[in-house]
Amino acid sequence: QVQLVESGGGSVQPGGSLRLSCAASGRINYFSTMGWYRQVSGKERDMVAVITLEGNTKYADSVKGRFTISRDNAKNMVYLEMNSLKPEDTAVYYCKVDHYSGIDLAYIPYWGKGTLVTVSS
């Protein structure tokens, strides 16, 4: 079992910055893909950024050039640096990881409980 805890959310003015962190704990083998998703009330949860074990990244078009995802495999952490924040970035941000289960011989997805980011003047 893997537990994920996000932190770093909060309120910021447009143009500001925040750094989200996601800490994984539990019986960990390794994570293939780690990522961040966001959800606005009443809408679907959308991918923001993902990073593979090899360090390859993918971003939603709406955040390219403003957000940067990174990971620390030794610490089982994933981060999201968010710059030039806009009101439309307001959402609950969720951390997601794909954990390799040696029992199931498969990658199992885990989600955090989310952290709220509010961008408003």
Side-chain angles (χ1 to χ4, degrees):
Q1 193 74 5
V2 173
Q3 295 80 42
L4 301 174
V5 178
E6 302 99 334
S7 61
S11 296
V12 64
Q13 292 186 341
S17 299
L18 285 173
R19 187 188 194 219
L20 304 184
S21 299
C22 175
S25 61
R27 301 186 67 177
I28 296 172
N29 287 321
Y30 69 91
F31 302 114
S32 58
T33 301
M34 306 178 81
W36 291 93
Y37 293 71
R38 66 187 181 188
Q39 187 171 25
V40 176
S41 180
K43 295 189 176 181
E44 292 186 353
R45 190 173 298 184
D46 295 323
M47 186 274 290
V48 175
V50 294
I51 183 168
T52 68
L53 181 60
E54 296 79 14
N56 298 314
T57 59
K58 181 179 180 180
Y59 295 91
D61 288 342
S62 60
V63 307
K64 284 181 180 177
R66 300 189 297 122
F67 291 11
T68 303
I69 189 170
S70 60
R71 61 189 286 173
D72 186 328
N73 295 323
K75 296 181 179 179
N76 294 316
M77 299 281 293
V78 61
Y79 307 96
L80 186 68
E81 187 75 34
M82 305 186 295
N83 298 313
S84 302
L85 282 161
K86 304 175 181 180
E88 51 263 43
D89 294 318
T90 296
V92 177
Y93 284 70
Y94 296 90
C95 172
K96 175 185 178 282
V97 299
D98 293 320
H99 176 252
Y100 181 74
S101 168
I103 296 175
D104 300 312
L105 301 181
Y107 291 100
I108 308 298
Y110 290 91
W111 291 89
K113 294 184 178 181
T115 184
L116 177 63
V117 172
T118 302
V119 185
S120 174
S121 55

